[in-house]
Amino acid sequence: MQSSSIASRRARVRSAGRPRTRLAGLVLALTMVATGLAAAPAATAQENPYERGPAPTERSIEALRGPFAVAEDRVSSLVIGFGGGTIYYPTDTSEGTFGAVAVSPGYTGTQSSMAWLGPRLASQGFVVFTIDTNTTVDQPDSRGRQLLAALDYLVEDSDVRNRIDPNRLGVMGHSMGGGGSLSAAESRPALQAAIPLTGWHLSKNWSRVTVPTLVVGAENDLIAPVRSHSIPFYESLSSSLDKAYLELDGASHFAPNISNTTIAKYSISWLKRFIDDDLRYEQFLCPPPDDREISEYRNTCPHS
């Protein structure tokens, strides 16, 4: 945010015989300066209409809960396109609508394996939909289509649709759900963010993805080893894309299935930065973070 400067003028009164005029000029000048000082913050306060919540700190993005109180709404498995799930949403709408994120579990997993992310992300100012898939053995591309169906349900049919900005949407997923998030991003370039978590997919070429993508791998992943999954995913993404690769130090494939501060911290920062265009979170992504929980970090800073 650019700071504004105020230029002040000195009134020069030629006639010493007109003290009232000199006094009036001084009052006018002081009034102009005071008015300018008062107006400056108001002029810049709405520079980004999508900012939600107070200015972030390391402590605030590492916290188990953010500034927004959260409620939840269950969605029946009878919906068309995916297997139902749980919507977590901020209860306070005084700041306006929110961006939304759909989250898929991995192979044989259910929404319960990703449930910890729901209230944690929602309390930072997002509507979060942790979904069940049609079957627990659905493959990545199918999970990608289900993530998009879940987003469509959120903005068109859900009970919280009036709380959501339909132009500010993202996807996340674990394992085959992570592969699904890449597939969804490739299919729908209008998305604002994608975060595959220890993702698995047979395709290693995602050069057509134009959605800002944070790839999260795990150093000790034996199911989707980073050398054959997360790293090739990241490297195949266009060099002109806003992208990052974060490798969890000493972590296994199942790190995203339990509450994980590192995953939450950088997911929040990525979603805020690209779904909400909130530059206040750029500081946690660029320059590369110095975090002992991260064994490797790559990026395309500065972000566009």
Side-chain angles (χ1 to χ4, degrees), residues 74-85 111 129 132-134 153 157:
R74 297 283 297 185
V75 176
S76 168
S77 61
L78 299 178
V79 294
I80 297 174
F82 58 102
Q111 62 162 318
F129 196 1
D132 280 317
T133 46
N134 289 324
Y153 174 86
D157 300 311

Side-chain angles (χ1 to χ4, degrees), residues 102-251:
V103 184
S104 169
Y107 187 70
T108 74
T110 65
Q111 62 162 318
S112 63
S113 67
M114 305 303 293
W116 70 274
L117 268 174
R120 194 156 183 173
L121 296 181
S123 68
Q124 296 285 349
F126 295 101
V127 175
V128 183
F129 196 1
T130 58
I131 68 168
D132 280 317
T133 46
N134 289 324
T135 77
T136 59
V137 296
D138 288 337
Q139 297 298 297
D141 289 342
S142 173
R143 291 169 190 267
R145 291 189 292 272
Q146 292 177 63
L147 283 168
L148 296 180
L151 289 176
D152 292 341
Y153 174 86
L154 271 179
V155 301
E156 295 171 4
D157 300 311
S158 75
D159 292 339
V160 298
R161 59 188 179 276
N162 292 334
R163 299 172 183 265
I164 299 170
D165 182 340
N167 297 312
R168 295 160 50 211
L169 306 176
V171 288
M172 298 178 66
H174 170 238
S175 191
M176 285 193 178
S181 69
L182 287 167
S183 179
E186 183 178 69
S187 299
R188 188 173 294 182
L191 294 177
Q192 301 298 303
I195 306 179
L197 303 168
T198 62
W200 189 101
H201 202 293
L202 289 175
S203 175
K204 312 304 177 191
N205 183 0
W206 298 100
S207 58
R208 292 186 296 175
V209 170
T210 59
V211 176
T213 301
L214 170 63
V215 178
V216 177
E219 184 181 27
N220 295 335
D221 191 336
L222 300 179
I223 295 174
V226 293
R227 294 295 167 190
S228 58
H229 288 78
S230 292
I231 291 176
F233 295 164
Y234 173 79
E235 291 179 340
S236 73
L237 295 167
S238 171
S239 59
S240 64
L241 181 68
D242 288 317
K243 64 176 183 175
Y245 170 68
L246 185 159
E247 186 174 294
L248 300 166
D249 185 53

Side-chain angles (χ1 to χ4, degrees), residues 79 97 122 202 249 254 297 304:
V79 294
T97 56
L202 289 175
D249 185 53
F254 300 101
Y297 191 89
S304 60

